[in-house]
Amino acid sequence: MPVISSKALRMPASPIRKLVPFADEAKKRGTTIYHLNIGQPDIETPQSALNAIRNFDEKVIEYSHSAGNESYRNKLADYYNKEGITIHSDNILITTGGSEALVFGLMSTCNPGDEVIIPEPFYANYNGFSVTAGLNVVPVTANIKEGFALPPIEEIERKITAKTKAIIICNPGNPTGYLYSKEELEKLSQIVKLHDLFLFADEVYREFCYDGAKPTSVMNLKGIDENVIMIDSVSKRYSMCGARIGALISRNMDIMNAALKFGQARLSPPTIDQIAAEAALDTPKVYFDNLIEEYVERRNILVDGLNEIDGVYCPRPKGAFYCVAEFPVDSADRFCQWLLEEYSFEGQTVMMAPASGFYANAALGKKQARLAYVLNKDSLKNAIICLKEALKVYPGRDK
Amino acid sequence: MPVISSKALRMPASPIRKLVPFADEAKKRGTTIYHLNIGQPDIETPQSALNAIRNFDEKVIEYSHSAGNESYRNKLADYYNKEGITIHSDNILITTGGSEALVFGLMSTCNPGDEVIIPEPFYANYNGFSVTAGLNVVPVTANIKEGFALPPIEEIERKITAKTKAIIICNPGNPTGYLYSKEELEKLSQIVKLHDLFLFADEVYREFCYDGAKPTSVMNLKGIDENVIMIDSVSKRYSMCGARIGALISRNMDIMNAALKFGQARLSPPTIDQIAAEAALDTPKVYFDNLIEEYVERRNILVDGLNEIDGVYCPRPKGAFYCVAEFPVDSADRFCQWLLEEYSFEGQTVMMAPASGFYANAALGKKQARLAYVLNKDSLKNAIICLKEALKVYPGRDK
């Protein structure tokens, strides 16, 4: 029997899904689970997108263009221009989710064996995409006590070697919710320019900024147009994660042409989902106003609630819909599993994502977990009560 | 400015799309183009699939399971079992098109630098997927005079080195339409077993078999269960190329588990398209009976028509909806371009895919082109007239 590949062996299993069998068992026992473990929002997909799907009236579901439908790319360019990001539709490649955009971007720019620097904790699937492209992740640790701000630029610079090809950030960040300031991004842009690196920014949470904060896109950093690749997706913006429509965006036409060749090999992104994504661009501003209001309230309930629990610490993030909290426990992995396997309070429990999977060095996240505030306010309040009660009786609680 | 990757440089541009700018110019001049260059059928998508899309009534387009919806995988397993391919839903990973299935399969089994043997001419995107996975394609040339039958097994065996990890076939074949016999596949299975290789079979054209011929699936070859990976897709079967729903199928659970990790990294295949693909499984047999009848007539019009043109030779394939013909010309690349750039007959011309892109050694396909019989019979008849007239005046015609 032939052996599977070394990449397959290196490929990490999803840290979020490790707990799924325990959750399934809990459900079988009749326990209500508050799913704060995944970024699947409960927000309704905009009506315009759903209508576009229901009104699909072609007789054949044909391939679209490999770069995405021209009408969608034009309209998406308009969206960015309105957001203050000046680009042309030629700077946009429509992909199957943000995931494919990042893989195409990495494959187009980095050689196997190259290093990519990523502030940690980071979105766990960046590990998988790096393995896919044959790259080595070099983490720079951000500190929970500083709310997961960008680590000092000197620390990042010290990690740069002859093999470093790119820096990857997520802004606003998954899993931390941290929103990088313009100053932080400008510091990054200086070392990107000085060391001739590519800068990838996953900006899929752009719309989710709170307390009046405005996101700075890497596309607006001066003097590094050729270095910047922005990753985007409709998944979170329009609560249509299952549409799998993303985009790779760059002003570097060598990258765009290279990425298109990867795009041609896989023929096209999904056709009907693109039509829905294009229609979603008509979503009125009030949708987002309501969304932001809702998420701010949810965040406050969750973050305030967490910080009110004895021994728990959680910074208040300004973006996305996640936070990372530190718990007074022996191991967040064990705590999260215990919550599903052995615990319930009034028939309810909480599912969280242990943060160990978001760090290259799992030990750094040992006491931390990511919580997504993608449930309604009452559920979040109940989840907080569950956690508070759980920590009173959890056997591995810090003494 | 940082340089792009070596993979990006090696990545082939799509051979089919090279001619698109010339086609666009011809259209602008008002010329009608018969598109025999791509595998986008004009056949209507089954009503059940279209209805499922129009009846989508969820309020949120959520992620599906990374392996695909369980209901779809179960129903798909039933389909295979009815087709005589005995598998369980655990042997199925739903992917974003057959393309993703092949990439996941290659990534799960082969290491960068490994070699994959592919009978040529082969589907050009196998080159792109091999570059993506860092593999080297080792071609074994099939002969047009033998209708592109499997090359002698000794010739294939001679290509096996210490670096050979897999053999890839497409059956029925794109671009040749050749349907491998059970005997040919059994010969392949012997060397696969003897040399401990993986055998990938792209069987997306399974339903398209003519003249009473029945396809043999690699899943039914004895004694190589652990070596076999089958690639499938709804694109051609149900004329829903734009749905991007494929599948990786294997009884080797190490491969299934590895491929799932790649699947988890990209979260999920498209949700609504999966619902449509599941509904498509209800397509009545009469849909395929009509389809086969239609394609046989189209094939006969095209192949007979080609062979009636002086100097043209085209084997009559038993499967898929392509054929590769040899033309009495200096270069099929030049001939195909000339057809678009300089020629028209009564305001009409033909677009074909030069076969050079389907050979690792482009020179072998110099006088050949692939034609897809995806247009109605009248269009095919007109296309034949165009080609016949064109060859009378083409300046590069063989003397």
Side-chain angles (χ1 to χ4, degrees):
Chain A
M1 176 183 152
V3 291
I4 63 169
S5 72
S6 53
K7 271 190 189 177
L9 296 173
R10 279 181 63 207
M11 196 74 188
S14 166
I16 300 168
R17 285 162 213 256
K18 253 192 315 206
L19 295 173
V20 170
F22 301 105
D24 288 345
E25 285 302 314
K27 260 178 240 163
K28 274 187 203 154
R29 291 192 306 273
T31 309
T32 299
I33 302 174
Y34 295 111
H35 281 275
L36 306 183
N37 56 308
I38 49 164
Q40 169 61 62
D42 63 341
I43 303 291
E44 289 186 12
T45 306
Q47 210 51 49
S48 55
L50 294 173
N51 287 343
I53 291 162
R54 290 168 193 149
N55 296 332
F56 179 76
D57 66 351
E58 300 289 326
K59 294 203 148 93
V60 187
I61 307 174
E62 294 194 2
Y63 289 122
S64 76
H65 190 287
S66 293
N69 288 332
E70 209 180 333
S71 58
Y72 179 39
R73 289 163 65 218
N74 286 333
K75 210 163 154 184
L76 193 56
D78 290 345
Y79 157 83
Y80 289 120
N81 287 309
K82 271 182 214 146
E83 292 280 311
I85 299 167
T86 319
I87 54 160
H88 186 263
S89 62
D90 289 347
N91 306 117
I92 302 175
L93 176 80
I94 304 303
T95 56
T96 308
S99 305
E100 187 181 72
L102 188 51
V103 171
F104 284 179
L106 292 174
M107 290 262 184
S108 298
T109 55
C110 301
N111 290 321
D114 281 350
E115 293 171 357
V116 288
I117 294 174
I118 317 183
E120 67 178 351
F122 57 80
Y123 177 51
N125 288 328
Y126 295 162
N127 279 320
F129 304 142
S130 299
V131 172
T132 296
L135 311 176
N136 296 311
V137 171
V138 176
V140 192
T141 309
N143 199 317
I144 192 169
K145 293 291 169 208
E146 275 128 43
F148 298 109
L150 190 72
I153 203 74
E154 302 73 28
E155 241 179 78
I156 299 176
E157 207 164 7
R158 261 201 301 277
K159 302 276 185 176
I160 297 174
T161 71
K163 288 198 164 274
T164 309
K165 198 67 187 283
I167 297 173
I168 304 177
I169 58 168
C170 181
N171 187 38
N174 175 5
T176 66
Y178 186 78
L179 179 69
Y180 290 123
S181 69
K182 198 173 176 206
E183 292 66 37
E184 286 174 307
L185 292 170
E186 280 171 350
K187 279 185 199 162
L188 261 187
S189 80
Q190 283 163 20
I191 63 168
V192 160
K193 194 169 182 179
L194 187 64
H195 298 276
D196 223 14
L197 306 176
F198 289 108
L199 177 59
F200 286 85
D202 177 344
E203 300 186 358
V204 303
Y205 298 98
R206 179 180 309 106
E207 265 73 11
F208 303 86
C209 290
Y210 314 123
D211 311 331
K214 293 271 172 242
T216 301
S217 173
V218 288
M219 296 298 291
N220 285 338
L221 296 173
K222 303 282 175 224
I224 55 165
D225 274 359
E226 299 292 321
N227 307 62
V228 163
I229 300 105
M230 193 241 281
I231 306 300
D232 212 341
S233 160
V234 303
S235 293
K236 313 296 172 171
R237 187 182 309 152
Y238 304 116
S239 196
M240 44 198 287
C241 298
R244 313 312 301 128
I245 297 294
L248 178 149
I249 292 158
S250 180
R251 294 196 188 91
N252 181 327
M253 290 313 291
D254 287 344
I255 295 175
M256 295 310 300
N257 291 331
L260 178 59
K261 289 194 287 179
F262 288 95
Q264 287 176 341
R266 64 72 166 117
L267 302 169
S268 87
T271 295
I272 292 163
D273 306 87
Q274 272 184 85
I275 294 170
E278 184 175 334
L281 287 166
D282 294 329
T283 305
K285 189 175 168 293
V286 65
Y287 176 91
F288 290 104
D289 292 343
N290 293 339
L291 201 70
I292 298 302
E293 197 181 322
E294 173 73 18
Y295 273 119
V296 166
E297 288 173 19
R298 290 179 177 189
R299 178 200 61 176
N300 292 345
I301 289 169
L302 186 66
V303 174
D304 291 346
L306 286 167
N307 283 313
E308 278 161 20
I309 302 173
D310 186 37
V312 177
Y313 176 70
C314 182
R316 185 185 308 269
K318 284 200 160 43
F321 38 63
Y322 307 99
C323 60
V324 172
E326 192 152 293
F327 292 88
V329 295
D330 54 347
S331 147
D333 280 279
R334 276 201 285 273
F335 179 54
C336 292
Q337 184 174 325
W338 175 87
L339 281 169
L340 296 167
E341 206 178 10
E342 304 193 27
Y343 179 76
S344 72
F345 176 74
E346 295 179 351
Q348 302 165 62
T349 194
V350 176
M351 189 165 177
M352 306 188 289
S356 55
F358 300 107
Y359 286 88
N361 177 358
L364 293 171
K366 196 181 171 194
K367 287 169 179 284
Q368 300 172 6
R370 184 191 74 174
L371 300 88
Y373 40 100
V374 291
L375 303 183
N376 64 57
K377 287 169 265 188
D378 284 339
S379 295
L380 291 174
K381 283 174 194 164
N382 288 338
I384 288 288
I385 295 169
C386 274
L387 282 173
K388 189 175 176 178
E389 296 300 321
L391 282 166
K392 288 181 188 165
V393 295
Y394 175 58
R397 162 133 201 171
D398 284 350
K399 301 301 165 206
Chain B
M1 176 183 150
V3 290
I4 62 169
S5 71
S6 52
K7 271 189 190 178
L9 296 173
R10 276 181 65 204
M11 196 73 190
S14 165
I16 300 168
R17 286 162 213 256
K18 253 188 324 204
L19 294 174
V20 169
F22 301 106
D24 289 343
E25 285 304 312
K27 261 178 240 164
K28 275 186 204 155
R29 291 192 305 271
T31 308
T32 298
I33 302 175
Y34 296 110
H35 282 275
L36 306 183
N37 56 309
I38 49 164
Q40 170 62 62
D42 63 341
I43 302 291
E44 291 187 13
T45 306
Q47 209 52 47
S48 56
L50 294 172
N51 286 345
I53 291 162
R54 290 169 194 148
N55 295 334
F56 179 75
D57 67 350
E58 300 290 328
K59 293 201 146 99
V60 187
I61 308 174
E62 296 193 2
Y63 289 122
S64 76
H65 190 287
S66 294
N69 288 332
E70 209 181 331
S71 58
Y72 179 38
R73 289 163 65 218
N74 286 333
K75 210 163 152 182
L76 193 54
D78 290 346
Y79 157 83
Y80 289 120
N81 286 311
K82 271 183 215 145
E83 292 280 312
I85 299 167
T86 318
I87 55 160
H88 186 263
S89 62
D90 289 349
N91 306 118
I92 302 176
L93 177 79
I94 304 302
T95 57
T96 307
S99 305
E100 187 179 71
L102 188 52
V103 171
F104 284 179
L106 291 174
M107 290 262 185
S108 298
T109 55
C110 301
N111 290 322
D114 281 350
E115 294 171 357
V116 288
I117 294 175
I118 316 182
E120 68 178 353
F122 57 79
Y123 177 50
N125 288 328
Y126 295 161
N127 279 319
F129 303 141
S130 299
V131 172
T132 296
L135 310 177
N136 297 311
V137 171
V138 176
V140 191
T141 309
N143 199 317
I144 192 169
K145 293 290 169 211
E146 275 127 44
F148 298 109
L150 190 72
I153 203 74
E154 303 73 30
E155 239 178 80
I156 299 176
E157 207 164 9
R158 261 200 300 277
K159 303 277 185 175
I160 297 174
T161 72
K163 289 196 164 276
T164 309
K165 198 67 187 283
I167 297 174
I168 304 176
I169 59 168
C170 181
N171 186 40
N174 175 4
T176 65
Y178 187 79
L179 179 69
Y180 290 123
S181 68
K182 198 172 175 208
E183 291 66 36
E184 286 174 308
L185 292 171
E186 281 172 350
K187 279 185 199 162
L188 261 187
S189 80
Q190 284 163 18
I191 62 168
V192 160
K193 194 167 183 181
L194 186 64
H195 298 275
D196 223 13
L197 306 177
F198 290 108
L199 176 60
F200 286 85
D202 178 345
E203 300 187 358
V204 304
Y205 297 98
R206 179 181 308 106
E207 265 74 9
F208 302 87
C209 290
Y210 314 123
D211 310 331
K214 293 273 172 241
T216 302
S217 173
V218 287
M219 297 297 291
N220 285 339
L221 296 173
K222 302 286 174 225
I224 56 166
D225 274 0
E226 298 293 320
N227 307 62
V228 163
I229 300 108
M230 193 241 283
I231 306 300
D232 211 340
S233 160
V234 303
S235 293
K236 312 296 172 173
R237 188 182 309 152
Y238 304 115
S239 195
M240 44 196 291
C241 297
R244 314 310 301 126
I245 297 294
L248 178 149
I249 292 158
S250 179
R251 292 195 190 92
N252 181 327
M253 290 313 290
D254 288 344
I255 294 175
M256 294 312 298
N257 291 330
L260 178 59
K261 290 195 285 178
F262 287 96
Q264 287 176 342
R266 63 72 165 118
L267 302 169
S268 87
T271 295
I272 292 163
D273 306 87
Q274 270 183 85
I275 295 170
E278 185 175 333
L281 287 166
D282 294 329
T283 306
K285 189 175 169 291
V286 65
Y287 176 92
F288 290 105
D289 291 345
N290 292 339
L291 202 73
I292 298 303
E293 197 182 323
E294 173 72 21
Y295 274 120
V296 166
E297 288 173 20
R298 289 179 179 189
R299 178 200 63 177
N300 291 344
I301 288 168
L302 187 66
V303 173
D304 291 345
L306 285 167
N307 282 315
E308 277 161 20
I309 302 174
D310 187 36
V312 177
Y313 176 70
C314 182
R316 183 184 311 270
K318 284 199 159 41
F321 38 63
Y322 306 99
C323 59
V324 171
E326 192 154 292
F327 292 89
V329 295
D330 54 347
S331 147
D333 280 278
R334 276 201 286 273
F335 179 54
C336 292
Q337 183 174 326
W338 175 87
L339 281 169
L340 297 167
E341 205 178 10
E342 304 192 29
Y343 179 76
S344 74
F345 176 74
E346 295 179 352
Q348 302 164 65
T349 194
V350 176
M351 189 164 178
M352 305 187 289
S356 55
F358 300 105
Y359 285 88
N361 176 0
L364 293 172
K366 198 181 170 192
K367 289 171 179 283
Q368 300 172 6
R370 185 192 73 174
L371 300 90
Y373 41 99
V374 290
L375 303 183
N376 64 57
K377 285 169 266 187
D378 283 340
S379 295
L380 290 174
K381 284 175 193 163
N382 288 336
I384 287 289
I385 294 168
C386 273
L387 282 173
K388 188 174 177 178
E389 295 300 320
L391 282 166
K392 288 180 187 164
V393 294
Y394 175 58
R397 159 127 203 178
D398 283 350
K399 302 296 169 215

